[in-house]
Short mmCIF file of all heavy atoms in Angstrom, two decimals:
data_model
loop_
_atom_site.label_atom_id
_atom_site.label_comp_id
_atom_site.label_asym_id
_atom_site.label_seq_id
_atom_site.Cartn_x
_atom_site.Cartn_y
_atom_site.Cartn_z
N MET F 153 30.92 77.89 -53.75
CA MET F 153 29.99 78.89 -54.24
C MET F 153 28.67 78.71 -53.51
O MET F 153 28.16 77.60 -53.40
CB MET F 153 29.81 78.72 -55.75
CG MET F 153 28.79 79.64 -56.35
SD MET F 153 28.50 79.41 -58.12
CE MET F 153 30.10 79.74 -58.78
N THR F 154 28.14 79.79 -53.04
CA THR F 154 26.84 79.79 -52.37
C THR F 154 25.77 80.30 -53.33
O THR F 154 26.09 80.86 -54.39
CB THR F 154 26.87 80.70 -51.13
OG1 THR F 154 27.07 82.05 -51.57
CG2 THR F 154 27.95 80.29 -50.15
N PRO F 155 24.49 80.15 -52.97
CA PRO F 155 23.44 80.72 -53.81
C PRO F 155 23.63 82.24 -54.02
O PRO F 155 23.37 82.74 -55.12
CB PRO F 155 22.16 80.41 -53.04
CG PRO F 155 22.48 79.13 -52.33
CD PRO F 155 23.92 79.29 -51.91
N LYS F 156 24.09 82.92 -53.00
CA LYS F 156 24.32 84.37 -53.14
C LYS F 156 25.41 84.64 -54.18
O LYS F 156 25.28 85.56 -55.01
CB LYS F 156 24.73 84.95 -51.78
CG LYS F 156 24.82 86.45 -51.77
CD LYS F 156 25.11 86.96 -50.36
CE LYS F 156 25.21 88.47 -50.37
NZ LYS F 156 25.47 88.98 -49.01
N ASP F 157 26.47 83.84 -54.18
CA ASP F 157 27.53 83.98 -55.18
C ASP F 157 26.99 83.71 -56.59
O ASP F 157 27.32 84.41 -57.54
CB ASP F 157 28.68 83.00 -54.91
CG ASP F 157 29.36 83.24 -53.58
OD1 ASP F 157 29.41 84.39 -53.11
OD2 ASP F 157 29.84 82.24 -53.00
N PHE F 158 26.17 82.68 -56.70
CA PHE F 158 25.58 82.33 -57.99
C PHE F 158 24.73 83.47 -58.52
O PHE F 158 24.83 83.86 -59.69
CB PHE F 158 24.77 81.04 -57.86
CG PHE F 158 24.06 80.63 -59.12
CD1 PHE F 158 24.74 80.47 -60.31
CD2 PHE F 158 22.70 80.40 -59.11
CE1 PHE F 158 24.07 80.09 -61.48
CE2 PHE F 158 22.02 80.02 -60.25
CZ PHE F 158 22.72 79.87 -61.44
N ARG F 159 23.90 84.04 -57.66
CA ARG F 159 23.06 85.17 -58.08
C ARG F 159 23.91 86.35 -58.52
O ARG F 159 23.59 87.03 -59.49
CB ARG F 159 22.14 85.60 -56.94
CG ARG F 159 20.98 84.67 -56.73
CD ARG F 159 20.17 85.12 -55.51
NE ARG F 159 18.95 84.39 -55.43
CZ ARG F 159 17.74 84.94 -55.55
NH1 ARG F 159 17.61 86.23 -55.74
NH2 ARG F 159 16.66 84.19 -55.48
N ALA F 160 25.01 86.59 -57.81
CA ALA F 160 25.91 87.69 -58.18
C ALA F 160 26.50 87.45 -59.57
O ALA F 160 26.64 88.39 -60.36
CB ALA F 160 27.00 87.85 -57.14
N LEU F 161 26.86 86.21 -59.87
CA LEU F 161 27.39 85.89 -61.20
C LEU F 161 26.34 86.12 -62.29
O LEU F 161 26.66 86.65 -63.35
CB LEU F 161 27.88 84.44 -61.26
CG LEU F 161 29.22 84.15 -60.62
CD1 LEU F 161 29.49 82.65 -60.60
CD2 LEU F 161 30.33 84.86 -61.36
N LEU F 162 25.11 85.72 -62.01
CA LEU F 162 24.04 85.96 -62.98
C LEU F 162 23.87 87.45 -63.22
O LEU F 162 23.77 87.89 -64.37
CB LEU F 162 22.73 85.35 -62.49
CG LEU F 162 22.63 83.83 -62.42
CD1 LEU F 162 21.25 83.41 -61.94
CD2 LEU F 162 22.96 83.19 -63.75
N ASP F 163 23.85 88.22 -62.15
CA ASP F 163 23.72 89.69 -62.28
C ASP F 163 24.89 90.27 -63.07
O ASP F 163 24.69 91.10 -63.96
CB ASP F 163 23.64 90.36 -60.91
CG ASP F 163 22.32 90.13 -60.21
OD1 ASP F 163 21.34 89.72 -60.88
OD2 ASP F 163 22.26 90.35 -58.99
N TYR F 164 26.09 89.85 -62.74
CA TYR F 164 27.28 90.36 -63.41
C TYR F 164 27.23 90.12 -64.92
O TYR F 164 27.61 90.97 -65.71
CB TYR F 164 28.53 89.70 -62.82
CG TYR F 164 29.81 90.13 -63.48
CD1 TYR F 164 30.42 91.34 -63.14
CD2 TYR F 164 30.42 89.33 -64.45
CE1 TYR F 164 31.60 91.75 -63.75
CE2 TYR F 164 31.60 89.73 -65.06
CZ TYR F 164 32.18 90.93 -64.71
OH TYR F 164 33.33 91.33 -65.33
N HIS F 165 26.73 88.94 -65.31
CA HIS F 165 26.67 88.58 -66.72
C HIS F 165 25.34 89.00 -67.37
O HIS F 165 25.14 88.75 -68.56
CB HIS F 165 26.88 87.08 -66.90
CG HIS F 165 28.29 86.65 -66.61
ND1 HIS F 165 29.32 86.86 -67.50
CD2 HIS F 165 28.84 86.06 -65.53
CE1 HIS F 165 30.44 86.40 -66.99
NE2 HIS F 165 30.18 85.92 -65.79
N GLY F 166 24.47 89.61 -66.59
CA GLY F 166 23.20 90.08 -67.14
C GLY F 166 22.26 88.96 -67.56
O GLY F 166 21.50 89.11 -68.52
N LEU F 167 22.30 87.86 -66.82
CA LEU F 167 21.48 86.70 -67.15
C LEU F 167 20.36 86.52 -66.14
O LEU F 167 20.58 86.68 -64.94
CB LEU F 167 22.34 85.43 -67.16
CG LEU F 167 23.34 85.28 -68.28
CD1 LEU F 167 24.32 84.16 -67.97
CD2 LEU F 167 22.61 84.99 -69.58
N SER F 168 19.21 86.15 -66.64
CA SER F 168 18.12 85.74 -65.75
C SER F 168 18.32 84.27 -65.39
O SER F 168 19.14 83.57 -66.01
CB SER F 168 16.77 85.90 -66.46
OG SER F 168 16.68 84.98 -67.54
N GLN F 169 17.59 83.81 -64.41
CA GLN F 169 17.68 82.39 -64.05
C GLN F 169 17.22 81.52 -65.22
O GLN F 169 17.86 80.51 -65.54
CB GLN F 169 16.86 82.10 -62.80
CG GLN F 169 17.46 82.71 -61.56
CD GLN F 169 16.64 82.44 -60.32
OE1 GLN F 169 15.83 81.53 -60.27
NE2 GLN F 169 16.85 83.26 -59.29
N ASN F 170 16.14 81.91 -65.89
CA ASN F 170 15.66 81.14 -67.04
C ASN F 170 16.66 81.18 -68.19
O ASN F 170 16.89 80.18 -68.87
CB ASN F 170 14.30 81.63 -67.50
CG ASN F 170 13.20 81.30 -66.52
OD1 ASN F 170 13.33 80.41 -65.69
ND2 ASN F 170 12.12 82.04 -66.60
N GLY F 171 17.25 82.35 -68.42
CA GLY F 171 18.25 82.47 -69.47
C GLY F 171 19.46 81.60 -69.19
O GLY F 171 20.00 80.96 -70.10
N PHE F 172 19.88 81.55 -67.93
CA PHE F 172 21.01 80.70 -67.58
C PHE F 172 20.66 79.23 -67.76
O PHE F 172 21.49 78.45 -68.23
CB PHE F 172 21.49 80.95 -66.15
CG PHE F 172 22.65 80.08 -65.80
CD1 PHE F 172 23.93 80.43 -66.20
CD2 PHE F 172 22.48 78.89 -65.12
CE1 PHE F 172 25.00 79.61 -65.92
CE2 PHE F 172 23.54 78.06 -64.83
CZ PHE F 172 24.81 78.42 -65.24
N ALA F 173 19.44 78.85 -67.40
CA ALA F 173 19.03 77.45 -67.55
C ALA F 173 19.15 77.01 -69.01
O ALA F 173 19.65 75.93 -69.31
CB ALA F 173 17.60 77.26 -67.06
N LYS F 174 18.72 77.87 -69.92
CA LYS F 174 18.84 77.56 -71.35
C LYS F 174 20.30 77.49 -71.78
O LYS F 174 20.70 76.60 -72.51
CB LYS F 174 18.10 78.60 -72.18
CG LYS F 174 16.60 78.52 -72.02
CD LYS F 174 15.91 79.62 -72.78
CE LYS F 174 14.41 79.59 -72.50
NZ LYS F 174 13.73 80.71 -73.11
N LEU F 175 21.09 78.45 -71.31
CA LEU F 175 22.51 78.49 -71.65
C LEU F 175 23.23 77.24 -71.17
O LEU F 175 24.00 76.63 -71.91
CB LEU F 175 23.14 79.73 -71.02
CG LEU F 175 24.66 79.85 -71.13
CD1 LEU F 175 25.06 80.17 -72.56
CD2 LEU F 175 25.17 80.93 -70.19
N ALA F 176 22.98 76.85 -69.92
CA ALA F 176 23.67 75.71 -69.32
C ALA F 176 23.01 74.37 -69.65
O ALA F 176 23.54 73.32 -69.28
CB ALA F 176 23.72 75.88 -67.81
N LYS F 177 21.86 74.44 -70.32
CA LYS F 177 21.11 73.23 -70.67
C LYS F 177 20.77 72.41 -69.44
O LYS F 177 20.98 71.19 -69.37
CB LYS F 177 21.88 72.40 -71.71
CG LYS F 177 22.10 73.15 -72.99
CD LYS F 177 22.88 72.33 -73.99
CE LYS F 177 23.10 73.18 -75.22
NZ LYS F 177 23.96 72.56 -76.19
N VAL F 178 20.23 73.12 -68.44
CA VAL F 178 19.75 72.47 -67.22
C VAL F 178 18.32 72.90 -66.99
O VAL F 178 17.84 73.89 -67.52
CB VAL F 178 20.61 72.82 -65.98
CG1 VAL F 178 22.02 72.29 -66.11
CG2 VAL F 178 20.63 74.30 -65.70
N ASN F 179 17.62 72.13 -66.18
CA ASN F 179 16.24 72.40 -65.85
C ASN F 179 16.12 73.71 -65.09
O ASN F 179 16.93 74.00 -64.21
CB ASN F 179 15.71 71.23 -65.01
CG ASN F 179 14.23 71.30 -64.78
OD1 ASN F 179 13.76 72.20 -64.08
ND2 ASN F 179 13.51 70.36 -65.35
N GLU F 180 15.09 74.50 -65.39
CA GLU F 180 14.88 75.77 -64.70
C GLU F 180 14.71 75.58 -63.20
O GLU F 180 15.14 76.41 -62.41
CB GLU F 180 13.67 76.49 -65.29
CG GLU F 180 13.89 76.95 -66.72
CD GLU F 180 12.65 77.52 -67.36
OE1 GLU F 180 11.64 77.73 -66.67
OE2 GLU F 180 12.69 77.76 -68.58
N ARG F 181 14.08 74.48 -62.81
CA ARG F 181 13.90 74.20 -61.38
C ARG F 181 15.25 74.05 -60.68
O ARG F 181 15.43 74.52 -59.56
CB ARG F 181 13.08 72.94 -61.19
CG ARG F 181 12.90 72.58 -59.72
CD ARG F 181 12.16 71.29 -59.56
NE ARG F 181 10.74 71.56 -59.75
CZ ARG F 181 9.82 70.62 -59.73
NH1 ARG F 181 10.14 69.36 -59.55
NH2 ARG F 181 8.56 70.93 -59.90
N GLN F 182 16.21 73.41 -61.34
CA GLN F 182 17.53 73.24 -60.76
C GLN F 182 18.21 74.59 -60.54
O GLN F 182 18.83 74.83 -59.51
CB GLN F 182 18.40 72.35 -61.64
CG GLN F 182 19.75 72.03 -61.04
CD GLN F 182 19.61 71.22 -59.75
OE1 GLN F 182 18.97 70.18 -59.73
NE2 GLN F 182 20.21 71.70 -58.70
N VAL F 183 18.08 75.47 -61.51
CA VAL F 183 18.67 76.80 -61.38
C VAL F 183 18.02 77.55 -60.23
O VAL F 183 18.71 78.22 -59.46
CB VAL F 183 18.57 77.59 -62.70
CG1 VAL F 183 19.03 79.02 -62.54
CG2 VAL F 183 19.38 76.90 -63.79
N ARG F 184 16.72 77.43 -60.07
CA ARG F 184 16.04 78.07 -58.94
C ARG F 184 16.58 77.53 -57.62
O ARG F 184 16.77 78.29 -56.67
CB ARG F 184 14.53 77.87 -59.02
CG ARG F 184 13.87 78.75 -60.06
CD ARG F 184 12.36 78.80 -59.91
NE ARG F 184 11.72 77.50 -59.92
CZ ARG F 184 11.30 76.86 -61.01
NH1 ARG F 184 11.47 77.41 -62.19
NH2 ARG F 184 10.71 75.69 -60.92
N ARG F 185 16.85 76.23 -57.55
CA ARG F 185 17.43 75.66 -56.32
C ARG F 185 18.81 76.24 -56.06
O ARG F 185 19.14 76.55 -54.92
CB ARG F 185 17.54 74.14 -56.45
CG ARG F 185 16.25 73.41 -56.28
CD ARG F 185 16.50 71.91 -56.23
NE ARG F 185 15.26 71.22 -56.45
CZ ARG F 185 15.05 70.31 -57.40
NH1 ARG F 185 16.03 69.98 -58.23
NH2 ARG F 185 13.89 69.73 -57.52
N TRP F 186 19.62 76.34 -57.10
CA TRP F 186 20.97 76.89 -56.93
C TRP F 186 20.92 78.34 -56.44
O TRP F 186 21.80 78.78 -55.73
CB TRP F 186 21.75 76.83 -58.24
CG TRP F 186 22.10 75.46 -58.71
CD1 TRP F 186 22.08 74.30 -58.00
CD2 TRP F 186 22.52 75.10 -60.03
NE1 TRP F 186 22.47 73.25 -58.79
CE2 TRP F 186 22.74 73.71 -60.04
CE3 TRP F 186 22.72 75.81 -61.19
CZ2 TRP F 186 23.18 73.02 -61.16
CZ3 TRP F 186 23.15 75.13 -62.32
CH2 TRP F 186 23.38 73.75 -62.31
N ALA F 187 19.89 79.07 -56.83
CA ALA F 187 19.78 80.49 -56.49
C ALA F 187 18.94 80.74 -55.23
O ALA F 187 18.78 81.89 -54.83
CB ALA F 187 19.17 81.25 -57.67
N ASP F 188 18.43 79.70 -54.60
CA ASP F 188 17.54 79.83 -53.45
C ASP F 188 18.30 80.36 -52.23
O ASP F 188 19.14 79.66 -51.66
CB ASP F 188 16.92 78.47 -53.14
CG ASP F 188 15.85 78.55 -52.07
OD1 ASP F 188 15.70 79.59 -51.41
OD2 ASP F 188 15.15 77.52 -51.89
N LEU F 189 18.00 81.58 -51.84
CA LEU F 189 18.70 82.22 -50.73
C LEU F 189 18.37 81.58 -49.38
O LEU F 189 19.10 81.79 -48.41
CB LEU F 189 18.40 83.71 -50.69
CG LEU F 189 18.97 84.52 -51.86
CD1 LEU F 189 18.56 85.97 -51.75
CD2 LEU F 189 20.48 84.38 -51.91
N ARG F 190 17.32 80.79 -49.31
CA ARG F 190 17.04 80.08 -48.06
C ARG F 190 18.10 79.02 -47.79
O ARG F 190 18.25 78.55 -46.68
CB ARG F 190 15.66 79.43 -48.10
CG ARG F 190 14.54 80.47 -48.10
CD ARG F 190 13.22 79.83 -48.25
NE ARG F 190 13.16 79.24 -49.60
CZ ARG F 190 12.14 78.56 -50.08
NH1 ARG F 190 11.08 78.35 -49.33
NH2 ARG F 190 12.16 78.08 -51.31
N ARG F 191 18.86 78.67 -48.82
CA ARG F 191 19.95 77.71 -48.68
C ARG F 191 21.31 78.42 -48.67
O ARG F 191 22.33 77.81 -48.93
CB ARG F 191 19.92 76.72 -49.85
CG ARG F 191 18.64 75.97 -49.97
CD ARG F 191 18.65 75.12 -51.22
NE ARG F 191 17.37 74.45 -51.37
CZ ARG F 191 17.23 73.29 -51.95
NH1 ARG F 191 18.27 72.67 -52.46
NH2 ARG F 191 16.05 72.73 -52.05
N SER F 192 21.30 79.69 -48.36
CA SER F 192 22.50 80.51 -48.54
C SER F 192 23.67 80.10 -47.66
O SER F 192 24.81 80.43 -47.96
CB SER F 192 22.18 81.98 -48.30
OG SER F 192 21.80 82.19 -46.95
N GLN F 193 23.43 79.38 -46.58
CA GLN F 193 24.52 78.95 -45.71
C GLN F 193 25.19 77.68 -46.20
O GLN F 193 26.21 77.27 -45.67
CB GLN F 193 24.00 78.74 -44.29
CG GLN F 193 23.42 79.99 -43.67
CD GLN F 193 24.43 81.13 -43.62
OE1 GLN F 193 25.58 80.93 -43.24
NE2 GLN F 193 24.02 82.31 -44.02
N HIS F 194 24.62 77.07 -47.23
CA HIS F 194 25.14 75.80 -47.73
C HIS F 194 25.75 76.00 -49.11
O HIS F 194 25.08 76.50 -50.01
CB HIS F 194 24.02 74.76 -47.80
CG HIS F 194 23.33 74.57 -46.50
ND1 HIS F 194 23.90 73.89 -45.45
CD2 HIS F 194 22.12 75.00 -46.06
CE1 HIS F 194 23.07 73.89 -44.42
NE2 HIS F 194 21.98 74.56 -44.77
N PRO F 195 26.98 75.60 -49.29
CA PRO F 195 27.58 75.73 -50.63
C PRO F 195 26.90 74.79 -51.62
O PRO F 195 26.36 73.74 -51.26
CB PRO F 195 29.04 75.35 -50.42
CG PRO F 195 29.08 74.60 -49.14
CD PRO F 195 27.90 75.03 -48.33
N LEU F 196 26.95 75.20 -52.88
CA LEU F 196 26.41 74.34 -53.94
C LEU F 196 27.32 73.13 -54.10
O LEU F 196 28.52 73.20 -53.83
CB LEU F 196 26.36 75.12 -55.26
CG LEU F 196 25.49 76.38 -55.27
CD1 LEU F 196 25.59 77.04 -56.63
CD2 LEU F 196 24.07 76.07 -54.94
N PRO F 197 26.78 72.02 -54.59
CA PRO F 197 27.63 70.86 -54.87
C PRO F 197 28.72 71.22 -55.89
O PRO F 197 28.50 72.08 -56.76
CB PRO F 197 26.66 69.83 -55.46
CG PRO F 197 25.31 70.27 -55.01
CD PRO F 197 25.38 71.76 -54.88
N LEU F 198 29.86 70.57 -55.78
CA LEU F 198 30.97 70.88 -56.70
C LEU F 198 30.58 70.67 -58.15
O LEU F 198 31.01 71.41 -59.03
CB LEU F 198 32.19 70.04 -56.34
CG LEU F 198 32.87 70.41 -55.03
CD1 LEU F 198 34.04 69.47 -54.77
CD2 LEU F 198 33.34 71.84 -55.04
N GLY F 199 29.77 69.66 -58.43
CA GLY F 199 29.33 69.43 -59.80
C GLY F 199 28.51 70.59 -60.34
O GLY F 199 28.63 70.96 -61.50
N ALA F 200 27.68 71.17 -59.48
CA ALA F 200 26.88 72.33 -59.89
C ALA F 200 27.79 73.51 -60.17
O ALA F 200 27.63 74.20 -61.18
CB ALA F 200 25.87 72.68 -58.80
N GLU F 201 28.76 73.73 -59.30
CA GLU F 201 29.67 74.86 -59.50
C GLU F 201 30.46 74.70 -60.79
O GLU F 201 30.62 75.65 -61.55
CB GLU F 201 30.62 74.99 -58.31
CG GLU F 201 31.52 76.19 -58.43
CD GLU F 201 32.34 76.46 -57.18
OE1 GLU F 201 32.08 75.85 -56.14
OE2 GLU F 201 33.24 77.30 -57.28
N ALA F 202 30.90 73.49 -61.07
CA ALA F 202 31.65 73.25 -62.31
C ALA F 202 30.78 73.53 -63.53
O ALA F 202 31.23 74.14 -64.50
CB ALA F 202 32.18 71.82 -62.34
N ARG F 203 29.53 73.09 -63.48
CA ARG F 203 28.62 73.30 -64.61
C ARG F 203 28.34 74.79 -64.81
O ARG F 203 28.27 75.28 -65.93
CB ARG F 203 27.33 72.55 -64.36
CG ARG F 203 26.45 72.50 -65.56
CD ARG F 203 25.48 71.37 -65.44
NE ARG F 203 24.98 71.07 -66.75
CZ ARG F 203 24.21 70.04 -67.00
NH1 ARG F 203 23.88 69.22 -66.05
NH2 ARG F 203 23.77 69.84 -68.22
N ILE F 204 28.18 75.51 -63.71
CA ILE F 204 27.93 76.95 -63.78
C ILE F 204 29.12 77.66 -64.43
O ILE F 204 28.96 78.46 -65.35
CB ILE F 204 27.65 77.51 -62.37
CG1 ILE F 204 26.30 77.01 -61.86
CG2 ILE F 204 27.72 79.04 -62.36
CD1 ILE F 204 26.09 77.19 -60.36
N ARG F 205 30.30 77.35 -63.94
CA ARG F 205 31.50 78.02 -64.46
C ARG F 205 31.73 77.68 -65.93
O ARG F 205 32.11 78.54 -66.72
CB ARG F 205 32.71 77.67 -63.61
CG ARG F 205 32.59 78.25 -62.22
CD ARG F 205 33.90 78.28 -61.47
NE ARG F 205 33.73 78.77 -60.12
CZ ARG F 205 33.65 80.05 -59.78
NH1 ARG F 205 33.73 80.98 -60.71
NH2 ARG F 205 33.50 80.41 -58.53
N GLN F 206 31.49 76.43 -66.31
CA GLN F 206 31.66 76.03 -67.71
C GLN F 206 30.69 76.80 -68.61
O GLN F 206 31.09 77.32 -69.65
CB GLN F 206 31.43 74.53 -67.86
CG GLN F 206 31.58 74.05 -69.29
CD GLN F 206 31.28 72.56 -69.42
OE1 GLN F 206 30.55 71.99 -68.62
NE2 GLN F 206 31.86 71.94 -70.42
N ALA F 207 29.44 76.90 -68.20
CA ALA F 207 28.45 77.61 -69.01
C ALA F 207 28.80 79.10 -69.12
O ALA F 207 28.70 79.69 -70.20
CB ALA F 207 27.05 77.44 -68.42
N LEU F 208 29.24 79.70 -68.01
CA LEU F 208 29.58 81.12 -68.05
C LEU F 208 30.84 81.36 -68.87
O LEU F 208 30.95 82.39 -69.54
CB LEU F 208 29.74 81.68 -66.64
CG LEU F 208 28.43 81.78 -65.84
CD1 LEU F 208 28.71 82.24 -64.43
CD2 LEU F 208 27.44 82.70 -66.53
N ASN F 209 31.78 80.42 -68.86
CA ASN F 209 32.96 80.56 -69.72
C ASN F 209 32.57 80.53 -71.19
O ASN F 209 33.07 81.32 -71.99
CB ASN F 209 33.99 79.47 -69.42
CG ASN F 209 34.76 79.73 -68.15
OD1 ASN F 209 34.87 80.87 -67.71
ND2 ASN F 209 35.28 78.69 -67.56
N LEU F 210 31.68 79.62 -71.56
CA LEU F 210 31.22 79.56 -72.95
C LEU F 210 30.46 80.84 -73.32
O LEU F 210 30.64 81.38 -74.40
CB LEU F 210 30.32 78.34 -73.16
CG LEU F 210 31.00 76.99 -73.10
CD1 LEU F 210 29.97 75.87 -73.17
CD2 LEU F 210 32.02 76.84 -74.21
N TYR F 211 29.65 81.32 -72.40
CA TYR F 211 28.88 82.55 -72.63
C TYR F 211 29.82 83.74 -72.82
O TYR F 211 29.65 84.54 -73.71
CB TYR F 211 27.95 82.79 -71.44
CG TYR F 211 27.11 84.03 -71.55
CD1 TYR F 211 26.01 84.08 -72.40
CD2 TYR F 211 27.41 85.16 -70.78
CE1 TYR F 211 25.23 85.22 -72.48
CE2 TYR F 211 26.63 86.30 -70.87
CZ TYR F 211 25.54 86.32 -71.72
OH TYR F 211 24.77 87.44 -71.81
N GLY F 212 30.85 83.80 -71.99
CA GLY F 212 31.81 84.90 -72.06
C GLY F 212 32.61 84.88 -73.34
O GLY F 212 33.09 85.92 -73.81
N ASN F 213 32.75 83.70 -73.96
CA ASN F 213 33.50 83.58 -75.20
C ASN F 213 32.60 83.72 -76.43
O ASN F 213 33.03 83.48 -77.54
CB ASN F 213 34.21 82.22 -75.26
CG ASN F 213 35.36 82.14 -74.29
OD1 ASN F 213 35.99 83.13 -73.98
ND2 ASN F 213 35.60 80.95 -73.77
N GLY F 214 31.33 84.06 -76.19
CA GLY F 214 30.40 84.24 -77.30
C GLY F 214 29.99 82.93 -77.95
O GLY F 214 29.59 82.91 -79.10
N MET F 215 30.04 81.85 -77.18
CA MET F 215 29.73 80.54 -77.73
C MET F 215 28.44 79.99 -77.19
O MET F 215 28.24 78.79 -77.09
CB MET F 215 30.88 79.56 -77.42
CG MET F 215 32.18 79.97 -78.06
SD MET F 215 33.59 79.00 -77.50
CE MET F 215 33.09 77.35 -77.94
N SER F 216 27.49 80.85 -76.80
CA SER F 216 26.23 80.37 -76.26
C SER F 216 25.44 79.67 -77.35
O SER F 216 25.62 79.89 -78.54
CB SER F 216 25.42 81.52 -75.66
OG SER F 216 24.92 82.34 -76.66
N SER F 217 24.52 78.83 -76.91
CA SER F 217 23.73 78.03 -77.87
C SER F 217 22.50 78.78 -78.36
O SER F 217 21.71 78.24 -79.10
CB SER F 217 23.31 76.73 -77.21
OG SER F 217 22.53 76.99 -76.05
N GLU F 218 22.31 80.01 -77.95
CA GLU F 218 21.11 80.74 -78.37
C GLU F 218 21.31 81.43 -79.69
O GLU F 218 22.34 81.75 -80.14
CB GLU F 218 20.74 81.76 -77.31
CG GLU F 218 20.37 81.08 -76.02
CD GLU F 218 20.00 82.08 -74.93
OE1 GLU F 218 20.60 83.14 -74.86
OE2 GLU F 218 19.08 81.75 -74.18
#
């Protein structure tokens, strides 16, 4: 997953970067790094991708912490 892919997922789910940070229980700065298009040629670390997918799965099932 690249930053561009991550941004597309946020858009698809209607989430802001700050909203996703709260949902995934990660620092807002980390989410900004994941979404930084200046790093678009570099895939996100596998741990980041796993955390993103886990949070979006919970969100999609209506199990968000908000």
Side-chain angles (χ1 to χ4, degrees):
M153 176 183 299
T154 65
K156 187 175 180 179
D157 298 330
F158 176 55
R159 284 175 170 245
L161 282 173
L162 292 181
D163 287 344
Y164 178 80
H165 290 283
L167 290 166
S168 67
Q169 290 179 20
N170 290 339
F172 180 81
K174 291 176 185 174
L175 173 72
K177 299 179 182 174
V178 295
N179 188 292
E180 292 173 9
R181 178 184 281 177
Q182 185 63 54
V183 173
R184 285 194 305 271
R185 284 187 196 124
W186 292 344
D188 187 349
L189 292 177
R190 292 176 293 179
R191 302 174 183 210
S192 65
Q193 299 302 314
H194 304 286
L196 300 178
L198 290 178
E201 184 172 348
R203 191 159 200 173
I204 290 165
R205 293 196 183 279
Q206 180 183 25
L208 291 176
N209 283 337
L210 291 174
Y211 179 76
N213 289 329
M215 298 171 58
S216 71
S217 60
E218 296 180 324

